[in-house]
């Protein structure tokens, strides 16, 4: 009996997953860290995709969406971390239909060709950028987790939509960009100038409508600060990604708001220090070197901060909430001795497999 086309594709997909699965067995990573296979593979693919985009697609740095090589890398890598950190929430998805896999693969293809043609038609350029990345990650998510369980995956697609919107508002002279140039740029320029003057440098500030410039008086060195230079993009990216990081963790929403606000404030201060460093580079080594450092310094600071903030602060809170949930479940289990009340005659009955699943799910939401 001949296999249907869908069954053939499903067999190919299962063989592909099986090969990766056997490879992970050989290096014992999954067994050592007790990582669910699907999240492990998803995370590895995100690392590979991010590396390919960053190291082998230098044209992303000259796309019409701006200098986004490091940003595209960050989007893919951190989305992989977000999915990876929510493995308990996603573990309720047991299987994916072949039509969902095909649909996800088609979106992945569309992320390059379809989005590229649309961008080219509006004059942005065909090259792979943030908009392409959002569609790519959406397709990858559907291929791995499907779309039937939207009660579980909706927040991840909402996160990708937020990233797409955040990218759109920063293309060109967006209203947010202009607003940051008029409000945050003068503030940061004055702070930079005051600190440099305290350190013994002679500087002044030229305030424009949307660009403020720190000028050294005894040497031709100046650092223009526009809206995009104020750190507003990094703060927006941080709040969006960190909000996604806390999906399904059980962290109270009040604490989530505090984490978002504190992290954004720290990023603002780190961006201020970045501007000071760039000013010193411009003074001592020249404008060309300053622009060279400008290309990578912000991205490196952002990645280091977000990584350590996630691990040391948010990760610690996630572990604390998880341990509290586990302790509460154990207490309930000890009190009922594996039995739950059905509300009739005050008697208990054994748990069903569906109730056990619901108890596990509630601890991860």
């Amino acid at each position: 009996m001949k296999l249907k086309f869908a069954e053939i594709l499903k067999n190919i997909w299962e063989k592909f997953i099986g090969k990766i699965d056997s490879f992970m067995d050989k290096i014992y990573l999954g067994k050592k860290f007790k990582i669910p296979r699907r999240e492990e593979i998803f995370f590895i693919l995100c690392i590979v995709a991010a590396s390919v985009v960053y190291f082998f697609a230098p044209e992303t740095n000259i796309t019409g969406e701006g200098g986004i090589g490091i940003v595209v890398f960050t989007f893919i890598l951190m989305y992989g971390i977000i999915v990876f950190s929510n493995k308990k929430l996603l573990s309720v998805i047991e299987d994916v239909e072949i039509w969902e896999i095909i649909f996800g693969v088609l979106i992945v293809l569309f992320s390059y060709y379809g989005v590229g043609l649309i961008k080219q038609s509006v004059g942005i350029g065909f090259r792979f950028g943030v908009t392409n990345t959002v569609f790519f990650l959406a397709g990858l998510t559907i291929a791995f987790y499907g779309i039937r369980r939207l009660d579980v995956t909706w927040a991840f697609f909402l996160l990708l939509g937020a990233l797409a919107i955040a990218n759109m508002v920063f293309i060109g002279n967006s209203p947010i960009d202009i607003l940051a140039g008029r409000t945050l740029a003068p503030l940061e320029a004055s702070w930079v100038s005051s600190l440099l003057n305290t350190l013994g440098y002679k500087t002044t500030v030229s305030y424009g409508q949307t660009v403020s410039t720190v000028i050294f008086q005894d040497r031709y060195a100046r650092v223009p600060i526009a809206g995009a230079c104020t750190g507003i993009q990094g703060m927006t990216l941080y709040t969006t990604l960190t909000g996604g990081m806390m999906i399904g963790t059980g962290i109270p929403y009040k604490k989530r708001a505090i984490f978002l606000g504190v992290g954004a404030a720290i990023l603002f201060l780190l961006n201020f220090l970045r501007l000071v460093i760039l000013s010193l580079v411009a003074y001592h080594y020249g404008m060309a070197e300053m622009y060279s450092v400008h290309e990578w310094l912000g991205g490196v600071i952002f990645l280091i901060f977000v990584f350590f903030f996630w691990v040391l602060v948010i990760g610690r809170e996630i572990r604390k909430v998880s341990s509290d949930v586990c302790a509460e479940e154990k207490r309930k289990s000890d009190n009922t001795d594996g039995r739950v009340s059905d509300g009739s005659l005050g008697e208990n009955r054994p748990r069903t497999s569906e109730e056990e699943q619901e108890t596990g799910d509630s601890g991860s939401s």
Side-chain angles (χ1 to χ4, degrees), residues 25 52 63 66 78 85 133 158 218 257 259 281 308 320 336 345-346:
D25 275 335
V52 168
T63 180
M78 290 192 172
S85 66
T133 303
L158 182 64
D218 57 345
F259 288 149
V281 171
F308 281 102
K320 177 179 179 296
T336 60
L345 303 177

Side-chain angles (χ1 to χ4, degrees), residues 237-307:
L237 177 60
Y238 163 78
T239 53
T240 305
L241 290 172
T242 304
M245 182 74 174
M246 293 185 285
I247 293 173
T249 59
I251 297 177
Y253 286 100
K254 184 178 180 180
K255 280 192 174 182
R256 298 189 194 196
I258 292 174
F259 288 149
L260 295 178
V262 170
I266 294 175
L267 274 174
F268 180 79
L269 295 176
L270 288 175
N271 185 70
F272 161 68
L273 293 178
R274 179 184 73 92
L275 293 173
V276 172
I277 293 173
L278 291 175
S279 300
L280 294 174
V281 171
Y283 182 86
H284 291 285
Y285 301 101
M287 295 298 295
E289 189 65 26
M290 187 272 288
Y291 282 115
S292 177
V293 174
H294 177 273
E295 289 295 320
W296 57 265
L297 181 61
V300 170
I301 291 176
F302 177 83
L303 285 173
I304 292 175
F305 164 74
V306 171
F307 175 79

Side-chain angles (χ1 to χ4, degrees), residues 144-355:
F144 268 76
Y145 300 102
I147 57 176
R148 288 174 299 152
R149 291 300 305 271
L150 284 175
D151 59 318
V152 176
T153 59
W154 68 268
F156 298 97
F157 294 116
L158 182 64
L159 168 64
L160 292 173
L163 287 175
I165 294 173
N167 172 62
M168 291 176 191
V169 299
F170 288 124
I171 295 178
N173 293 319
S174 68
I176 293 180
D177 227 12
I178 295 173
L179 180 63
R182 292 177 177 176
T183 57
L184 296 179
L187 177 64
E188 292 202 9
S190 64
W191 285 10
V192 171
S193 179
S194 297
L195 180 59
L196 290 173
N197 289 335
T198 302
L199 295 176
Y201 298 92
K202 297 180 180 179
T203 65
T204 186
V205 179
S206 172
Y207 297 100
Q209 187 174 5
T210 58
V211 179
S212 298
T213 306
V214 177
I215 303 172
F216 288 89
Q217 296 178 340
D218 57 345
R219 186 172 301 187
Y220 180 75
R222 53 181 60 208
V223 179
I225 303 174
C229 306
T230 60
I232 188 68
Q233 295 183 21
M235 288 185 284
T236 302
L237 177 60
Y238 163 78
T239 53
T240 305
L241 290 172
T242 304
M245 182 74 174
M246 293 185 285
I247 293 173
T249 59
I251 297 177
Y253 286 100
K254 184 178 180 180
K255 280 192 174 182
R256 298 189 194 196
I258 292 174
F259 288 149
L260 295 178
V262 170
I266 294 175
L267 274 174
F268 180 79
L269 295 176
L270 288 175
N271 185 70
F272 161 68
L273 293 178
R274 179 184 73 92
L275 293 173
V276 172
I277 293 173
L278 291 175
S279 300
L280 294 174
V281 171
Y283 182 86
H284 291 285
Y285 301 101
M287 295 298 295
E289 189 65 26
M290 187 272 288
Y291 282 115
S292 177
V293 174
H294 177 273
E295 289 295 320
W296 57 265
L297 181 61
V300 170
I301 291 176
F302 177 83
L303 285 173
I304 292 175
F305 164 74
V306 171
F307 175 79
F308 281 102
F309 195 79
W310 278 4
V311 171
L312 299 178
V313 180
I314 298 178
R316 180 182 178 185
E317 184 65 23
I318 291 175
R319 291 190 295 272
K320 177 179 179 296
V321 171
S322 298
S323 63
D324 291 343
V325 170
C326 291
E328 179 65 17
E329 290 179 353
K330 185 177 185 303
R331 184 185 65 80
K332 289 180 179 179
S333 177
D334 292 341
N335 289 340
T336 60
D337 191 27
R339 307 177 72 83
V340 295
S341 174
D342 62 0
S344 61
L345 303 177
E347 293 180 355
N348 291 335
R349 58 177 172 82
R351 290 176 183 265
T352 64
S353 59
E354 289 80 9
E355 287 170 340

